Amino acid sequence: MKRRDIMRLAAFAAVLAATTALLPGKDAIAQDKKWRIGFSQATTIEPWRAQFNKDIIAEAAKHPEVELIITDGEDKTEKQVADVENLIRQEVNALLISPKESAGLTGVVQQAIDAKIPVFVLDRNVETDQYTQFVGGDNKLIGRAAGEYAVELLGGKGKAHGNVVEIWGGMGTQPAHDRHDGFHEFTDKEPGIKNLLDQQSGDWKQDQAYNIMATALRNNEKIDLVYGHNDPMAYGAYLAAKDAGREKDIKFIGIDALPGEGVTWVNNGELTATFLYATPGAEGLRQAIKFLNGEKVEKTVTLDTMKVTKENAGQIMKEKGL
Amino acid sequence: MTFLRLLSQTKLYWGLIAIFLIGVLSSPVTSSGRNIFLSSGNLLDVLRQVSTTGLVATGMTAVILTGGIDLSVGSMMAICSVICAMLLTVPGETPAVFLGFPAVGLASLLIGAVAVRFIFINIEKTRSGVANIRDVQLDRMRGTLLPAVGGVILCALVLSFLLPQVQTKFGVLGVLLVAPAVGLLFGAINGVIIVVGRLQPFIVTLAMMVTALGIARLTAGQNNAVLPVYTGSNATADFDVLRQLVFGIVPMPGIFFIAAIILYSVVLRFTPFGRYVYAIGGNEEAARLSGINAGRVKIVTYAISGLLAGVAAVLYVAQYRQGKPDAGAGLELDAIAAVVIGGTSLMGGRGSLAGTFCGVLIFGLLSNILQLHNINSNLQLVLKGVIIIGTVLVQERNAFDVLAHLRLTSRRPAQRETAAEERPSRETLSLTVGGKEE
């Protein structure tokens, strides 16, 4: 009995010593860094979020005086709230947060503001306006750009005619509604443009978009243009058309322009065009550093979009290191 | 060697002490030289963060002690959170009402039935001097009819008070009772199906997990029910009490968690019901033969598990200002892990709530430490898994066992210790028929 206890005690001591030794030392705060900036990301599973993180890390590498701490909320409100609490305890100089959702994260953002930490909200807003700055894209603006280009592809203003298939993102989501509304501001003015589908949602997913398109191809002799609310859905529609042998006479437009997805597909000639939904990571970090260095920053920064076609796709991939 | 003996008796707490020590020793310090891990704010953050999982793990412990398992806690929490938030935001206009108030009625029925039965039996016992009343007629009449009537009246009262009053303090209080009632109802349904259908708890609660999630989504419709906290509604302002710190120090959810642990510990340790729970987990057949109504005990443990999931849901809504169908996703696994880390056997019959308390805290502190060190979140998951196995290994086995298994020593593996201190003694298990107390 005694001997066993001693062994157990020894095992315990060993485990304790090993783990303590493995963890980074007491002095976790690097001395040569002037600023510690915390960034709370909602999730890292989605490609757009992964690109978001890549962009912010690449930007941080350009600023040797900054130590960037990235947390991952694992797509759970409670985890992200815990992450932000943790960053507050670590007394970061500035907090960047891309909330999973508005309501659930507002309380903890308020807590950071009360702790005198400047807060930069990225991509999705919270329900308070006491933050330092909001940085994000404008989906309506991107939808407009896509709509304008679609009209151009179908024959130009006043003369455009053709059958359009629109594949929605999630039905209940604001981004999908914005991307739809912006697009239709242009296409609805054209009497020659006919919308074939009524609010078919692919839930942002490639496989669901494939099925919607396969059905549309069976039901319609003539489809001229497909507008997917994101690139994977536009690509799914392209694959369906390809399997039906009709991809040559259809134009495909997507949104997001991630280097590994949309830009690559445009470069391969699979999609006609995609429009950039810029990740606010790099800009948010630049703004935070500007603020910490004592400069004035705007309350809201809206990121611009960019049309990606065969002409500039190769260039963008080079820039992003693909 | 008394020190060592003491240590071996408190092996439950070893993991907790170890994790805590690691936290203290390796914690980064702030620029002003304070130890971040030890700062009261950080430790109270941890307490707040674990309270939801903790409440659910508390209910789960008793279920696992009877040899069962409850996979539906996460979904039950989701549906309770949706109902709670909807009642607070759009009183009287939502599907939540249709599900919520009947649930209150049924839950009050259940509670009423148990309470009235208990009272009558005790009255009969004292009046007749007979310790063992088994008058089926009496049971049937007074044990179900009265509470049924009482439950309906109570439900009607609750309804008539609540609907017009949701903007008042009293109305909010009523709404807060709805979510635990819904949880209790779902938990009781679990228990009844398991006992009456004589099915595996695993499959029944798995089915309930899916079903309840579906109901939660149907109830919520397209959008999450978000509390209009920032529009200055009175109801939600009163509701905020559940989010704030008590005496400016302890977060309210933590108080709920600790209270649940203490109350349920007392019940498990000092009441016949508690002894039955252990007895059933140890050997259900033997428990049955010694006159324990195993079915009823099991139903009660599942019902309480649901009730605590409902309480957790209320706290969730208070903290995150919304109820939504994906609240509590993956919660069942966290809770089961915490219970097992706390030394409770999945076979049933062995374990304790004190252990679960430690297990929950180990989990929370571990996440906190890894996050304080800003370890890559994917690596964090790996480390969590490894450390959980390590903790359980150290608590359950000693080096000799492991070495013997690996044929590195000639010593035979030690006999598995029966954790005597976690089990009711033999005397308490020799139950007389009908549960007469010694």
Side-chain angles (χ1 to χ4, degrees), chain A residues 151-265:
Chain A
V151 169
E152 196 182 313
L153 284 175
L154 295 172
K157 214 166 164 179
K159 303 193 289 288
H161 67 92
N163 294 343
V164 175
V165 165
E166 179 183 11
I167 302 174
W168 280 65
M171 285 313 299
T173 64
Q174 198 55 45
H177 281 279
D178 288 346
R179 287 174 185 194
H180 166 87
D181 294 344
F183 185 82
H184 282 263
E185 277 179 31
F186 283 88
T187 57
D188 285 356
K189 285 189 191 135
E190 304 292 331
I193 290 181
K194 188 159 157 254
N195 294 301
L196 295 176
L197 304 183
D198 180 36
Q199 295 212 343
Q200 293 272 330
S201 161
D203 198 25
W204 309 111
K205 294 183 180 74
Q206 187 174 315
D207 53 341
Q208 294 192 25
Y210 180 100
N211 294 334
I212 291 171
M213 185 65 183
T215 313
L217 286 161
R218 262 199 301 279
N219 297 342
N220 300 287
E221 282 297 298
K222 184 170 169 292
I223 297 176
D224 300 289
L225 186 133
V226 173
Y227 169 49
H229 282 191
N230 72 353
D231 289 332
M233 293 198 300
Y235 186 64
Y238 165 82
L239 291 177
K242 195 170 180 225
D243 290 347
R246 290 167 59 181
E247 82 280 9
K248 291 278 183 291
D249 31 22
I250 306 176
K251 305 253 189 298
F252 296 89
I253 297 179
I255 289 181
D256 277 354
L258 289 175
E261 291 182 351
V263 182
T264 307
W265 295 325

Side-chain angles (χ1 to χ4, degrees), chain B residues 129-208:
Chain B
V130 180
N132 192 2
I133 297 287
R134 276 252 169 269
D135 189 333
V136 180
Q137 282 304 325
L138 176 139
D139 262 16
R140 207 164 276 163
M141 284 299 299
R142 294 170 182 170
T144 47
L145 190 73
L146 275 165
V149 175
V152 171
I153 292 168
L154 191 65
C155 182
L157 282 175
V158 167
L159 269 171
S160 55
F161 269 119
L162 274 187
L163 284 177
Q165 299 223 8
V166 77
Q167 292 302 331
T168 65
K169 276 195 168 55
F170 183 77
V172 171
L173 189 71
V175 166
L176 296 191
L177 294 176
V178 174
V182 174
L184 184 80
L185 177 74
F186 275 77
I189 293 172
N190 270 337
V192 168
I193 297 174
I194 289 164
V195 170
V196 175
R198 276 176 299 181
L199 296 169
Q200 287 283 351
F202 189 96
I203 196 71
V204 174
T205 56
L206 185 72
M208 178 59 90

Side-chain angles (χ1 to χ4, degrees), chain A residues 4 12 29 77 85 89 101, chain B residues 45 49 322 324 394 398:
Chain A
R4 188 184 302 149
F12 228 90
I29 301 167
T77 308
E85 281 177 339
R89 296 289 164 213
E101 59 198 20
Chain B
D45 280 350
Q49 287 157 16
Q322 61 183 344
K324 48 179 194 167
V394 169
N398 59 48

